Amino acid sequence: MIHKKNIVSNKENLQVIYEDNHIIAINKRSGDIVQGDKTGDKPLSDVVKEYIKDKYNKPGNVYLGTVHRLDRPTTGLVLFAKTSKVLPRLNKLFLTKEITKTYWALVKKAPVKSNGTLINWLKKNPKNNKSTAYIKEIPESKKAILHYSTLKKLDNYTLLEVKLETGRHHQIRTQLSTIGSPIKGDLKYGFDRSNKDGSICLHARFIEFIHPVTKEPIKITADLPNDAIWNACY
């Protein structure tokens, strides 16, 4: 459930953190959906199109290609392609794992091991939009691998850095939950209470890749949400 207090992005408050002629990167708020869904809420992709149309005074329709998604309650980096030429190139970088995405997650119960690799088989249930993790392969399951390390211990929470080797449905949320470390605010995967704004404390923090057109190395950082717990993580 998305709480009414949750701030969503519009063309005036859009958090643009990188932009060139080919690519635009947004720091997504927890209320934003990346692409349209059954809620009928305006997707972030439409907001970015409005922003580009206004900024460059473009007539007609604005092209924008969606390269990847983040779960609605998650915050952080989302890349979009500004041209039809660059979209397949970005898609290929994701497919060949030449884009490195790094997430930060706040959990209440620290993992037993401060660093580790989690390997599970995840099966998605479309009825409740939830994935379940298994230790062995079962029919219709997909292998999921992530690596985590402990960055900081706060008074009541632990900050983990997570790097994905695979990109599965709700992968970080599901896998951290299986080791008894659900993400703060994530009721769906076992946390005991929701965050006031409906978010979960999972943030897409960094993204690194070689620019598909200029061939320059790019590293983009998304600032953490401005609240007391996240601010303690710097």
Side-chain angles (χ1 to χ4, degrees), residues 46-57:
D46 282 4
V47 176
V48 178
K49 283 181 185 179
E50 288 176 359
Y51 164 85
I52 292 169
K53 191 176 178 72
D54 273 22
K55 181 176 179 181
Y56 301 103
N57 198 20

PDB file of all heavy atoms in Angstrom, residues 46-57:
ATOM      1  N   ASP A  46       6.818   8.956 -17.978  1.00  0.00           N
ATOM      2  CA  ASP A  46       6.029  10.083 -18.499  1.00  0.00           C
ATOM      3  C   ASP A  46       6.504  11.412 -17.922  1.00  0.00           C
ATOM      4  O   ASP A  46       6.525  12.439 -18.608  1.00  0.00           O
ATOM      5  CB  ASP A  46       4.540   9.887 -18.183  1.00  0.00           C
ATOM      6  CG  ASP A  46       3.862   8.898 -19.121  1.00  0.00           C
ATOM      7  OD1 ASP A  46       4.567   8.297 -19.967  1.00  0.00           O
ATOM      8  OD2 ASP A  46       2.639   8.707 -19.002  1.00  0.00           O
ATOM      9  N   VAL A  47       6.859  11.400 -16.645  1.00  0.00           N
ATOM     10  CA  VAL A  47       7.353  12.625 -15.983  1.00  0.00           C
ATOM     11  C   VAL A  47       8.660  13.076 -16.641  1.00  0.00           C
ATOM     12  O   VAL A  47       8.855  14.270 -16.903  1.00  0.00           O
ATOM     13  CB  VAL A  47       7.568  12.372 -14.469  1.00  0.00           C
ATOM     14  CG1 VAL A  47       8.186  13.607 -13.794  1.00  0.00           C
ATOM     15  CG2 VAL A  47       6.258  12.005 -13.791  1.00  0.00           C
ATOM     16  N   VAL A  48       9.543  12.128 -16.930  1.00  0.00           N
ATOM     17  CA  VAL A  48      10.827  12.472 -17.570  1.00  0.00           C
ATOM     18  C   VAL A  48      10.588  13.043 -18.971  1.00  0.00           C
ATOM     19  O   VAL A  48      11.232  14.016 -19.371  1.00  0.00           O
ATOM     20  CB  VAL A  48      11.765  11.241 -17.620  1.00  0.00           C
ATOM     21  CG1 VAL A  48      13.081  11.585 -18.326  1.00  0.00           C
ATOM     22  CG2 VAL A  48      12.062  10.726 -16.209  1.00  0.00           C
ATOM     23  N   LYS A  49       9.635  12.458 -19.689  1.00  0.00           N
ATOM     24  CA  LYS A  49       9.293  13.003 -21.021  1.00  0.00           C
ATOM     25  C   LYS A  49       8.820  14.453 -20.911  1.00  0.00           C
ATOM     26  O   LYS A  49       9.213  15.312 -21.716  1.00  0.00           O
ATOM     27  CB  LYS A  49       8.188  12.159 -21.667  1.00  0.00           C
ATOM     28  CG  LYS A  49       8.658  10.835 -22.239  1.00  0.00           C
ATOM     29  CD  LYS A  49       7.465  10.133 -22.868  1.00  0.00           C
ATOM     30  CE  LYS A  49       7.816   8.741 -23.351  1.00  0.00           C
ATOM     31  NZ  LYS A  49       6.651   8.054 -23.937  1.00  0.00           N
ATOM     32  N   GLU A  50       7.975  14.738 -19.917  1.00  0.00           N
ATOM     33  CA  GLU A  50       7.478  16.111 -19.720  1.00  0.00           C
ATOM     34  C   GLU A  50       8.634  17.059 -19.392  1.00  0.00           C
ATOM     35  O   GLU A  50       8.691  18.191 -19.884  1.00  0.00           O
ATOM     36  CB  GLU A  50       6.449  16.137 -18.570  1.00  0.00           C
ATOM     37  CG  GLU A  50       5.132  15.488 -18.927  1.00  0.00           C
ATOM     38  CD  GLU A  50       4.178  15.441 -17.730  1.00  0.00           C
ATOM     39  OE1 GLU A  50       4.554  15.899 -16.626  1.00  0.00           O
ATOM     40  OE2 GLU A  50       3.058  14.939 -17.902  1.00  0.00           O
ATOM     41  N   TYR A  51       9.546  16.579 -18.563  1.00  0.00           N
ATOM     42  CA  TYR A  51      10.717  17.386 -18.176  1.00  0.00           C
ATOM     43  C   TYR A  51      11.558  17.728 -19.412  1.00  0.00           C
ATOM     44  O   TYR A  51      11.961  18.882 -19.612  1.00  0.00           O
ATOM     45  CB  TYR A  51      11.536  16.597 -17.149  1.00  0.00           C
ATOM     46  CG  TYR A  51      12.943  17.108 -16.943  1.00  0.00           C
ATOM     47  CD1 TYR A  51      13.217  18.154 -16.056  1.00  0.00           C
ATOM     48  CD2 TYR A  51      14.011  16.542 -17.652  1.00  0.00           C
ATOM     49  CE1 TYR A  51      14.520  18.622 -15.887  1.00  0.00           C
ATOM     50  CE2 TYR A  51      15.311  17.002 -17.472  1.00  0.00           C
ATOM     51  CZ  TYR A  51      15.552  18.043 -16.593  1.00  0.00           C
ATOM     52  OH  TYR A  51      16.836  18.502 -16.422  1.00  0.00           O
ATOM     53  N   ILE A  52      11.831  16.725 -20.255  1.00  0.00           N
ATOM     54  CA  ILE A  52      12.645  16.939 -21.466  1.00  0.00           C
ATOM     55  C   ILE A  52      11.920  17.886 -22.432  1.00  0.00           C
ATOM     56  O   ILE A  52      12.525  18.797 -23.005  1.00  0.00           O
ATOM     57  CB  ILE A  52      12.961  15.589 -22.152  1.00  0.00           C
ATOM     58  CG1 ILE A  52      13.907  14.756 -21.265  1.00  0.00           C
ATOM     59  CG2 ILE A  52      13.574  15.795 -23.532  1.00  0.00           C
ATOM     60  CD1 ILE A  52      14.085  13.310 -21.720  1.00  0.00           C
ATOM     61  N   LYS A  53      10.636  17.663 -22.595  1.00  0.00           N
ATOM     62  CA  LYS A  53       9.826  18.493 -23.513  1.00  0.00           C
ATOM     63  C   LYS A  53       9.901  19.970 -23.105  1.00  0.00           C
ATOM     64  O   LYS A  53      10.114  20.851 -23.929  1.00  0.00           O
ATOM     65  CB  LYS A  53       8.377  18.006 -23.500  1.00  0.00           C
ATOM     66  CG  LYS A  53       7.498  18.602 -24.593  1.00  0.00           C
ATOM     67  CD  LYS A  53       6.108  17.983 -24.536  1.00  0.00           C
ATOM     68  CE  LYS A  53       5.189  18.590 -25.571  1.00  0.00           C
ATOM     69  NZ  LYS A  53       5.520  18.181 -26.949  1.00  0.00           N
ATOM     70  N   ASP A  54       9.756  20.219 -21.785  1.00  0.00           N
ATOM     71  CA  ASP A  54       9.802  21.591 -21.274  1.00  0.00           C
ATOM     72  C   ASP A  54      11.209  22.178 -21.357  1.00  0.00           C
ATOM     73  O   ASP A  54      11.404  23.307 -21.810  1.00  0.00           O
ATOM     74  CB  ASP A  54       9.345  21.622 -19.807  1.00  0.00           C
ATOM     75  CG  ASP A  54       7.835  21.761 -19.694  1.00  0.00           C
ATOM     76  OD1 ASP A  54       7.145  21.427 -20.674  1.00  0.00           O
ATOM     77  OD2 ASP A  54       7.359  22.202 -18.641  1.00  0.00           O
ATOM     78  N   LYS A  55      12.196  21.421 -20.928  1.00  0.00           N
ATOM     79  CA  LYS A  55      13.570  21.939 -20.846  1.00  0.00           C
ATOM     80  C   LYS A  55      14.104  22.338 -22.218  1.00  0.00           C
ATOM     81  O   LYS A  55      14.783  23.351 -22.362  1.00  0.00           O
ATOM     82  CB  LYS A  55      14.485  20.880 -20.213  1.00  0.00           C
ATOM     83  CG  LYS A  55      15.932  21.340 -20.063  1.00  0.00           C
ATOM     84  CD  LYS A  55      16.800  20.321 -19.356  1.00  0.00           C
ATOM     85  CE  LYS A  55      18.238  20.817 -19.266  1.00  0.00           C
ATOM     86  NZ  LYS A  55      19.130  19.851 -18.600  1.00  0.00           N
ATOM     87  N   TYR A  56      13.812  21.509 -23.222  1.00  0.00           N
ATOM     88  CA  TYR A  56      14.358  21.756 -24.559  1.00  0.00           C
ATOM     89  C   TYR A  56      13.329  22.318 -25.529  1.00  0.00           C
ATOM     90  O   TYR A  56      13.592  22.430 -26.723  1.00  0.00           O
ATOM     91  CB  TYR A  56      14.967  20.463 -25.113  1.00  0.00           C
ATOM     92  CG  TYR A  56      16.065  19.924 -24.230  1.00  0.00           C
ATOM     93  CD1 TYR A  56      15.824  18.840 -23.384  1.00  0.00           C
ATOM     94  CD2 TYR A  56      17.330  20.507 -24.205  1.00  0.00           C
ATOM     95  CE1 TYR A  56      16.826  18.351 -22.547  1.00  0.00           C
ATOM     96  CE2 TYR A  56      18.334  20.034 -23.378  1.00  0.00           C
ATOM     97  CZ  TYR A  56      18.074  18.956 -22.548  1.00  0.00           C
ATOM     98  OH  TYR A  56      19.063  18.482 -21.715  1.00  0.00           O
ATOM     99  N   ASN A  57      12.139  22.646 -24.987  1.00  0.00           N
ATOM    100  CA  ASN A  57      11.064  23.217 -25.805  1.00  0.00           C
ATOM    101  C   ASN A  57      10.800  22.379 -27.051  1.00  0.00           C
ATOM    102  O   ASN A  57      10.760  22.879 -28.176  1.00  0.00           O
ATOM    103  CB  ASN A  57      11.421  24.663 -26.177  1.00  0.00           C
ATOM    104  CG  ASN A  57      10.202  25.441 -26.627  1.00  0.00           C
ATOM    105  OD1 ASN A  57       9.074  25.053 -26.325  1.00  0.00           O
ATOM    106  ND2 ASN A  57      10.425  26.516 -27.350  1.00  0.00           N
TER     107      ASN A  57
END
